[in-house]
Amino acid sequence: MFFKKKSEKTTRSGVEMVNGFVSFQGVRLNVHCFEVDGVLIDTGSASLLEQFKPFFNQLDIDQIVLTHSHEDHSGGAHYLQSTYNVPIYMSDVRRLECMEKADYPLYRKLFWGSRAPFEVLKIGERFTSRHANWAVIETPGHTNDHLAFLNEQTGQLFSGDLFVTPKTKVVLREESIPQIISSIEHVLTMDFGEMFCNHAGYVEDGKKALRMKLDYLQQLRGEIDRMHDEGLSVNEITKQLFNKKYPITKLSFGEWDSAHIVSSVLRKS
């Protein structure tokens, strides 16, 4: 198997960013991590470690915070901890899992590598960096341990996988559309401007982007409920609303599928 990998480094509004790409058989996945004011937000994947090392090695950081435990966000944590001895913080929900051998499907290991265990501390409701105070925002939906981070001095929101794209077409089996809607509604009550998304990268008007996603998901939820009330099955609703087939569905043996959007809305969780 031949997986293509590359990375690129940029700086936006004082935030150092690296974006890595992994592609195979028509599936191209990417992930960012960000550094600002001595804080590294997420660590990329184990598979992109060699591409990310030049970025990591020039950083001056005091701490690492993780938006969630997925391997494309936590895969570099072991290297960074063992090399630089910096503390790592995340939600307590899946914290202990990260201290053990990773357990996730083979296709994800092929794309993102095998995440090595690392020591991780429970993050609080707030933390401080060199010149800023930060709010830690619980934003479940993509995962049950998902967090976003708001730099209250700069108004910059680091949204993890809360945004990704304004029009979601395929999700993981474990994701909850109702919870994502609630999380976006909660975040939109806060004061922020720029948004840094781990997949979309820099978004100048973060509130506008999240409102667009919220409007889309609310409309989609309404259509799914209406079609279900008319007697349509999950498969029938999926075929009508999502007629495009995505390569990731086949490659992941259905772990990623548009049908999971419909199922999540109908189970109300």
Side-chain angles (χ1 to χ4, degrees), residues 16-19 31-35 40-44 52 55-56 198:
E16 300 288 332
M17 308 162 50
V18 63
N19 186 19
V31 69
H32 288 75
C33 52
F34 308 101
E35 186 276 328
L40 178 65
I41 300 166
D42 287 346
T43 68
F52 279 19
F55 174 79
F56 292 150
N198 282 85

Side-chain angles (χ1 to χ4, degrees), residues 37 126-135 150-156 191:
D37 200 35
R126 309 181 61 79
F127 68 91
T128 59
S129 58
R130 295 170 184 175
H131 305 98
N133 297 314
W134 295 70
L150 176 60
N151 184 323
E152 295 178 330
Q153 267 56 52
T154 64
Q156 294 169 326
D191 186 15

Side-chain angles (χ1 to χ4, degrees), residues 4 8 18 28 93 111 121 154 167 172 185 210 244:
K4 294 182 179 179
E8 55 189 28
V18 63
R28 186 174 186 264
V93 175
F111 270 96
L121 303 170
T154 64
K167 294 188 176 182
L172 280 164
E185 289 174 335
L210 280 173
K244 181 178 178 180

Side-chain angles (χ1 to χ4, degrees), residues 114-131:
S114 295
R115 177 192 52 73
F118 58 94
E119 295 295 319
V120 59
L121 303 170
K122 176 183 176 180
I123 199 166
E125 295 180 356
R126 309 181 61 79
F127 68 91
T128 59
S129 58
R130 295 170 184 175
H131 305 98

